Amino acid sequence: MNARKALWGTLIGTIIIFVPSASSAKSKTAGTSNVDRELLRRSNITIPVHIYNGFLVVATGQIGGQTHNFVLDTGTAPSILNERSLEKLALPLTPASIVAVGRNISTQQTVLPNLDIGPIHVSALPINVMDLSGLEKNLGIEVAGLLGMDVLARSSFRLDYEKKQLDFGPVAQYGTRVSYDPSTGLASAEATLQGTQVRLIVDTGTDLVVVYGDKWATFGSVTPASDQEGSSVAERVPAKPIAHPELALGGHQFSGVRTYYVPSAGQTPYDGFFGVRALKLRGISFDRETQTLFLLN
């Protein structure tokens, strides 16, 4: 398989960290205050999901009462609205800045009046706006946006890849515990890659392990890889394979997982990310009260 084509399908829509302005931070607080926390805590609702390419999770939600497809992507923060969807809503835009795969990117932001998925209702949601036509072409369906943990973490939930369903409501506290940071909207795990300690984002939007920086060239594959590149929703990036990767996470050892490094990545609070399905995990669950994410083997 052509490496460039493979990476296009596996990096798209991953790791977006928003750098908010003062006004957008205020909007985010306002949106959260409109959520009925007690209602969400006690809700027990199940919605079906579709799995594309073996890892991408697609569920339906509503904007203004209209049903749309959304990719559920825990590696994206905040959530992203498709540029095409924005045209129909006629919402005003403001400049914003993100970090995508370790790179600073200028983009645009708007405030979505309302969004619903399962029992979750969000008002005044700050959301980035990007062209997701490449993702739509890859999946063969229309996609209104990517929903990250800034939306999903407003309720406890369990995502089960085998059952192909998303359950909202109280969850059992088992599995590998991973801390969730509500200020960034990202969950990250301590792991060891090639004997080096790393902090990796939990990402349902990829089926790879990806780390940032030239230091990983020491472990690079001997096979020439200069023509390989992947794509985030922001831009195309160079990516090179790590030979014979060995990953340890949560007391489990993972060998031979497709692992790449982005040599020219900028500084970020994290060392990279790992795909939930890259590690063949059954799913994830999130307990809203303790702000803890669990990896389910």
Side-chain angles (χ1 to χ4, degrees):
M1 179 181 290
N2 180 276
R4 179 174 298 184
K5 181 178 179 181
L7 285 173
W8 166 260
T10 51
L11 287 183
I12 192 165
T14 192
I15 301 307
I16 305 296
I17 305 173
F18 177 54
V19 182
S21 65
S23 60
S24 62
K26 180 178 179 181
S27 297
K28 184 171 184 179
T29 301
T32 303
S33 67
N34 290 328
V35 177
D36 186 337
R37 293 176 173 82
E38 181 64 16
L39 174 63
L40 294 182
R41 186 184 71 82
R42 299 175 62 180
S43 294
N44 288 279
I45 294 176
T46 296
I47 64 174
V49 300
H50 296 276
I51 310 298
Y52 288 81
N53 300 333
F55 69 97
L56 275 177
V57 182
V58 176
T60 57
Q62 293 77 40
I63 298 176
Q66 299 294 314
T67 299
H68 301 275
N69 293 318
F70 293 92
V71 173
L72 308 185
D73 186 357
T74 60
T76 291
S79 298
I80 296 173
L81 182 69
N82 195 351
E83 203 172 73
R84 178 179 52 77
S85 300
L86 178 75
E87 294 173 0
K88 299 178 181 179
L89 297 170
L91 298 173
L93 290 169
T94 57
S97 176
I98 62 172
V99 177
V101 195
R103 296 165 179 264
N104 291 307
I105 306 293
S106 295
T107 187
Q108 298 184 94
Q109 179 201 23
T110 192
V111 177
L112 199 60
N114 58 76
L115 182 145
D116 296 88
I117 180 168
I120 296 175
H121 173 76
V122 190
S123 299
L125 175 69
I127 193 166
N128 283 331
V129 178
M130 290 185 166
D131 179 7
L132 300 182
S133 59
L135 176 59
E136 292 181 304
K137 183 178 179 180
N138 183 275
L139 299 182
I141 60 172
E142 290 189 354
V143 173
L146 310 179
L147 299 186
M149 290 291 285
D150 57 321
V151 171
L152 297 175
R154 295 166 188 252
S155 171
S156 295
F157 69 85
R158 175 189 171 103
L159 171 62
D160 192 313
Y161 288 89
E162 294 180 3
K163 293 181 178 179
K164 297 182 180 179
Q165 64 187 38
L166 181 63
D167 300 310
F168 294 95
V171 297
Q173 303 216 1
Y174 72 90
T176 301
R177 290 174 174 263
V178 175
S179 61
Y180 170 69
D181 183 353
S183 68
T184 63
L186 296 168
S188 60
E190 295 286 349
T192 301
L193 177 64
Q194 308 302 73
T196 301
Q197 188 171 4
V198 290
R199 176 170 285 279
L200 303 177
I201 301 296
V202 180
D203 192 354
T204 56
T206 182
D207 63 347
L208 301 175
V209 175
V210 175
V211 287
Y212 306 145
D214 293 303
K215 65 181 181 181
W216 296 102
T218 304
F219 305 103
S221 172
V222 295
T223 302
S226 59
D227 63 339
Q228 296 185 11
E229 61 180 17
S231 292
S232 70
V233 290
E235 63 173 2
R236 300 186 74 82
V237 294
K240 299 187 177 183
I242 290 179
H244 311 297
E246 296 289 338
L247 178 71
L249 193 160
H252 300 276
Q253 300 288 329
F254 303 91
S255 300
V257 177
R258 287 190 301 158
T259 304
Y260 291 79
Y261 70 96
V262 178
S264 56
Q267 292 280 56
T268 73
Y270 308 99
D271 300 298
F273 53 90
F274 71 91
V276 171
R277 292 301 278 171
L279 304 189
K280 310 300 183 186
L281 298 175
R282 177 178 178 178
I284 60 173
S285 64
F286 176 74
D287 181 60
R288 190 174 186 279
E289 291 187 0
T290 62
Q291 297 288 285
T292 303
L293 187 141
F294 298 88
L295 306 177
L296 309 177
N297 294 303

